Amino acid sequence: MTEPGLLLIRGLGHSGSTILDLALGAHPQLIGLGEAVRVLERPHLGEEHKGPQQLRGDLRFERRCTCGELAGDCPVWGPLLAWLPAHDDRPLPEKFNRLIEPLTASSPRWLVESFQADEQLLEAQALGRPVRVIQLTRDVRSWVHSESRRGVERHGRGGTVGWRSMLRWWRINRCWEQRLNRSGCAVFRLGYEELALAPEQALQQLCAWLEVGFDPAMLQPGLNSSSHIVSGNRMRFDPAQSQAIRYDAAWLSSAALSLRVAPLLPAVARLNRRLVYSNGLLGSVWPSA
């Protein structure tokens, strides 16, 4: 039996990894595991109250997996969540292999892990399986607008968030590009705008790169996904957001100066073009930076 490969979605958070994980999980040869590393990591002091860590306790019988079962009853996550509290000192590769063990019988081609901030699984040679990476990047203007909106919702302020967020977008996405270039892994650079505005073409290209046939079910992730996601964006349970891949274009009506300046900064504009619009799916109809 051929060992399934590991497909990592990496980059800056809030860039569309959940909907991509669900879409990939709608393919019969792919299974999504969501932000598995967040759940598997040993909780640091003071993090015991966070959702991924509370899944080790009673929360696993309250929160559902995207497979439809309660997390504690999920055939993939249930046994692992019961095992974790007494074995949190075990290394991440061992925990991950234990998680995916029930899935090998179904012979998937790829297992998808989408905790975008994690670097540990890039060293997955220890897992004894092929590793590929999708670097998922959202247009700097859309991402900065989203961050500013969250800043207002959480703290009642968004005025200076835009400038700090633009610097963070450039710094982290540039670091990920360099890190992945050094990793030796095969990397597919995908823009969230390409995925959301040309989903069929984007997923066809991804499937060709993964050497599997395109399946139209991927265009309706919430209806067809077989992913096992117990931690991540709550939109995974919102039919209005998960049944189709749609684009949030709210930033286009924003008058924020940071959004208008971003395309005028050469380093930001070059990185935006390279990471978000490199697959030629939107042509000249989209205002690339």
Side-chain angles (χ1 to χ4, degrees):
M1 182 183 297
T2 303
E3 285 287 328
L6 183 57
L7 178 61
L8 308 177
I9 301 173
R10 294 296 182 264
L12 186 58
H14 303 291
S15 297
S17 60
T18 300
I19 194 67
L20 178 57
D21 192 313
L22 288 169
L24 292 170
H27 192 287
Q29 292 180 269
L30 283 75
I31 298 177
L33 297 168
E35 298 178 352
V37 172
R38 288 190 69 192
V39 182
L40 297 176
E41 282 184 324
R42 185 174 187 172
H44 298 294
L45 187 64
E47 291 185 343
E48 297 82 0
H49 67 286
K50 293 187 176 181
Q53 281 68 45
Q54 288 187 339
L55 283 168
R56 290 159 165 74
D58 292 341
L59 186 63
R60 71 181 189 272
F61 296 112
E62 299 174 22
R63 179 177 291 183
R64 289 197 176 274
C65 175
T66 52
C67 72
E69 299 287 346
L70 290 171
D73 297 326
C74 169
V76 175
W77 279 105
L80 192 282
L81 292 173
W83 175 85
L84 267 180
H87 300 87
D88 251 335
D89 60 333
R90 305 307 303 160
L92 178 66
E94 180 182 333
K95 293 179 181 179
F96 193 84
N97 272 330
R98 193 177 185 95
L99 170 68
I100 65 179
E101 188 175 345
L103 297 171
T104 56
S106 59
S107 302
R109 184 72 179 273
W110 296 98
L111 300 171
V112 186
E113 204 285 337
S114 58
F115 183 31
Q116 285 185 269
D118 172 68
E119 295 188 33
Q120 296 179 74
L121 289 183
L122 285 176
E123 309 299 333
Q125 289 85 350
L127 295 176
R129 63 188 71 251
V131 180
R132 294 191 184 185
V133 186
I134 299 171
Q135 184 179 5
L136 181 63
T137 312
R138 187 171 176 177
D139 188 294
V140 58
R141 296 160 292 186
S142 174
W143 192 85
V144 167
H145 175 75
S146 178
E147 285 294 292
S148 299
R149 191 164 53 186
R150 276 193 293 275
V152 172
E153 292 172 354
R154 293 174 182 174
H155 309 294
R157 56 179 174 80
T160 61
V161 171
W163 299 104
R164 293 198 305 270
S165 296
M166 181 165 57
L167 177 60
R168 183 166 179 256
W169 180 96
W170 179 81
R171 179 176 57 83
I172 293 180
N173 283 316
R174 181 171 174 268
C175 286
W176 265 115
E177 182 183 37
Q178 295 172 340
R179 174 70 178 86
L180 294 174
N181 285 342
R182 297 192 304 267
S183 71
C185 298
V187 178
F188 188 99
R189 292 191 164 90
L190 175 66
Y192 170 66
E193 275 63 24
E194 292 183 322
L195 173 66
L197 292 169
E200 184 167 353
Q201 297 95 316
L203 292 171
Q204 284 176 342
Q205 284 196 9
L206 260 180
C207 286
W209 179 69
L210 292 170
E211 301 173 84
V212 297
F214 170 72
D215 193 313
M218 302 170 76
L219 298 173
Q220 296 181 301
L223 296 177
N224 299 303
S225 186
S226 59
S227 291
H228 291 273
I229 304 176
V230 295
S231 177
N233 194 315
R234 284 174 290 183
M235 62 79 62
R236 65 190 187 276
F237 293 120
D238 184 347
Q241 296 186 63
S242 66
Q243 285 187 5
I245 304 173
R246 300 185 181 91
Y247 186 61
D248 178 3
W251 73 269
L252 288 168
S253 60
S254 172
L257 184 59
S258 56
L259 271 63
R260 305 306 161 195
V261 169
L264 305 178
L265 301 175
V268 174
R270 285 194 299 269
L271 190 65
N272 201 53
R273 279 195 299 270
R274 191 161 67 244
L275 299 185
V276 183
Y277 301 101
S278 62
N279 296 305
L281 299 180
L282 301 178
S284 60
V285 300
W286 187 250
S288 60

